[in-house]
Structures are given as C-alpha cells and as structure tokens.
Amino acid sequence: LRAYYAMVSNKGILYVSNRNGIVAYGDAVPGDPSSAIVKLGQYVFKKLELQLGFKMPLPIMIGMNVTPDGHLIAVTIDGTVVGIEPDLSSAVYYNLPGEQIWNSVAIDERGGIYVPGTRKLHKLIWKDGDFSDEAADGAWVEPYEIGSLDETLRAERGSGTTPALMGGPDDEDRFVVFADAANVNNLILYWRDEIPEDWKQLSGTSSRRIAGVLPVNFGDPNLESSYSENSATIFDYGAVLANNQVKTNEKMMLDVQLKMKDPKRTPFGIQKFQWDAETRTWKVAWTRPDVSSPNSTPMVSTKNRQLHTVGLLDGVWTMQTLDWDTGETRAVYRLGTSERYNPIMLALQMLPNGDPIFATFGGVMHLALGSNP
C-alpha cells in the first residue's frame, strides 16, 4: 500500500491507495465490525491519462476526498486529478501542466474542488460527472509566493498545507484557507465563490480574490523562516497553524521526525488567525510561541471550545489542551519519551465520547479523557 491518505465512507467502506490505484475494503457482513475484512473493489489508474504517462514508474496517490454526488476524487504526485465512479468502474482525468501535488484536496458542498499545486492553488468544479475549469462555472487559479527555502529545504514541494474550508453553506463569507511557500509562510484567506462586488483589492496582494494575508511568525516579527506542513484547523471564522520546521532547518525526513525530541530540533509555535466579519479584516487572535505541535494537525472540540495538540514539553511527548478563544492552557497530559507517542505528521481525531485518538509511529494512541473514559 501507498496510503498517504485514506478515507472511510458513510457506509463503512475504507478506500486506500495501492501501488497503482485505489482499493475498497469493508466488512464481510455489512454493519458487523467483528466480521472479516474483505476486498470490495479496485480501480487501477490509466497511466496514459496521467500527466507523466509512462515516464512515471508508479503513480503515487497523495490525497483523496469525495464529491457531493459520491464520486471519489484522487490526486497524484505527478499533478493529475482523478474523478472515480462510486463503484470504481471508470474515471475521468484532469492534468495540471507544470504542477505536482503534494497535499490532499478540499471539496465543498457545491462541488468546488480545491487542489494545491506546487506553484498555484486551483479551484475546479465537479459538474455533470467531469471537471470544469471554466470561470463561468466558478473555477479559478491563483499563484502563491514561493521562497528561496522551498528548493533547499522542501524539495520544491511548494505549500505544505491541504486547503481548509471556512464558512458554512448558509454563511455570507465563505473562504478557503491556505499557507503559501514563502520563507516565513503566509496564511492566506481566499474568497472561494464570487468575490463581493464592493470588495477592494488589498494593498500589496497579487489578486482581488485574496481576503487576507498574514505571516505565520508566531509573534516574532524577526523570524527568518517558518513552515507549516499540516492543514489549518478551522472552527467558526478562526484558523490555527502550528510551526513544523525544525530549528536545524533539516529536511523533514523520517530520521528527523524520530529525532524531534532533541531540544536543538524541536520547533515551537502555535498561532490563531481570525476573520472579523464586521470589519472584513484578517487578524491574529493569539500566539503561543512556547507550545510545540511539531508534526501533527491540532484538533478543536466545538462542544467546549478546546484546542487539542500533541507536541513536546521538556523532551516529553505531551498532549496540551488550549482555550480556543484565548490560547490559554487548560490541561497538560505528559505521555512519555518513547517514539510510540510520536504522531509522525498525522492528525488528532476525537471519538464520540470526547476521547482523543491518533495514529503514532508505534501504532494507535487512545487517551481516556472523555465524558465516559
């Protein structure tokens, strides 16, 4: 398997990538998780439809999501977007010339597909079982800033973040939130649908579509570099990013991930940004330069407005809970020094009773902290 990302449907079907496509797995007895795991189907990518065709030994799928009508959307590192029938019988392909894709995609309830290339952020429209890049249908493309460190530290992968959606179906202000590849990353807010008629282009920006742009500097205006590899955590009109760049500026390879406890490497910094709907401005809500969330996407609990992170504190893997609105510490849980607690670039999730659960280098960590531990 080459499972950078996987997905579970509302029918309990697991979709995961293999060496040349997507495989679906499920329970032998539908609805019975104690029954055997069985293969339900498979789709094999057509290499000639991929951007690199036969030049690529194996197509590597990097992300996956689903459209409102149930089609699977997969993206491959070579810069191809694939729309696959729900029964995995056939697919349509869309190539992004000159682009690679190193992150997953966001899809909204109107069929907008937000694809992060290594140089541009693309919005495609899923329409009548195919991709549309027509402006009349709502599609657009926006280039973003690329810093000198993108080549030396990030292997020219561009942005490290999967786009995140802000604003619900009935909200007037609807955005896609995305970090660029500047040496000090900027968190950019794009109008994701039609740009308001009275919106004036912000000074110093490249496009009228940009609703806000702020440096991810964790409160240090003299910071020379920052890098967020994880998608922004969104709740209401707030967005949180953590610093994922080790102090030594080493490339984020596996061996560096397993040396994250070294104080000379441990990155620190969490920052929350907020859209003010009344003034229509993008602001910094709070910063915590003393909190480390080096390689995991934080998670917000909407019930009690808590932000949960897994990071390092004095060389110990630790789960910290912050107040979503103020950034103040609510709780600290020291897990241990073993790499069995290392989330290794994966995201926190929450069980129905409030228990945090996350994948680690050593397996799966389930913390009994919820209402019925």
Side-chain angles (χ1 to χ4, degrees), residues 43-189:
Y43 178 79
V44 178
F45 294 130
K46 296 181 179 179
K47 291 195 66 174
L48 285 179
E49 298 284 353
L50 300 176
Q51 182 162 232
L52 295 184
F54 280 123
K55 293 182 181 180
M56 194 169 190
L58 289 170
I60 301 177
M61 194 192 82
I62 191 69
M64 183 164 41
N65 209 322
V66 64
T67 64
D69 65 1
H71 285 74
L72 302 182
I73 302 296
V75 291
T76 60
I77 288 179
D78 71 284
T80 303
V81 189
V82 188
I84 307 169
E85 289 286 342
D87 63 1
L88 306 184
S89 61
S90 62
V92 293
Y93 293 76
Y94 184 92
N95 300 128
L96 302 179
E99 295 265 53
Q100 292 184 330
I101 303 171
W102 284 92
N103 295 287
S104 194
V105 295
I107 301 178
D108 66 25
E109 77 288 346
R110 301 177 185 178
I113 304 172
Y114 303 86
V115 184
T118 47
R119 293 296 178 265
K120 300 174 183 179
L121 177 62
H122 303 255
K123 180 184 180 181
L124 302 174
I125 304 297
W126 184 252
K127 180 181 178 181
D128 301 328
D130 206 345
F131 299 105
S132 170
D133 56 11
E134 297 294 328
D137 292 326
W140 48 260
V141 179
E142 292 288 340
Y144 58 85
E145 183 177 350
I146 307 291
S148 59
L149 296 179
D150 181 55
E151 180 179 359
T152 57
L153 292 183
R154 303 163 193 163
E156 297 183 280
R157 295 179 180 178
S159 170
T161 64
T162 294
L165 303 182
M166 177 183 286
D170 301 323
D171 291 329
E172 183 176 350
D173 296 341
R174 291 158 47 87
F175 306 104
V176 56
V177 183
F178 182 69
D180 65 13
N183 287 349
V184 175
N185 283 179
N186 295 292
L187 191 61
I188 307 174
L189 200 64

Side-chain angles (χ1 to χ4, degrees), residues 233 235 298-309 319-325 328 330-331 333 350 354 356 369:
T233 300
F235 175 44
M299 171 190 63
V300 62
S301 168
T302 61
K303 181 177 180 179
N304 47 23
R305 304 184 73 85
Q306 292 180 347
L307 180 73
H308 302 293
T309 70
M319 178 174 168
Q320 295 196 58
T321 300
L322 308 180
D323 186 291
W324 174 258
D325 297 299
E328 296 178 357
R330 286 194 177 184
Y333 304 94
M350 186 173 282
L369 304 176

Side-chain angles (χ1 to χ4, degrees), residues 276-288:
D276 188 323
E278 292 186 3
T279 62
R280 295 209 294 188
T281 52
W282 188 225
K283 302 177 179 179
V284 173
W286 50 258
T287 60
R288 286 294 302 268

Side-chain angles (χ1 to χ4, degrees), residues 283-298:
K283 302 177 179 179
V284 173
W286 50 258
T287 60
R288 286 294 302 268
D290 60 320
V291 175
S292 170
S293 180
N295 61 351
S296 176
T297 304

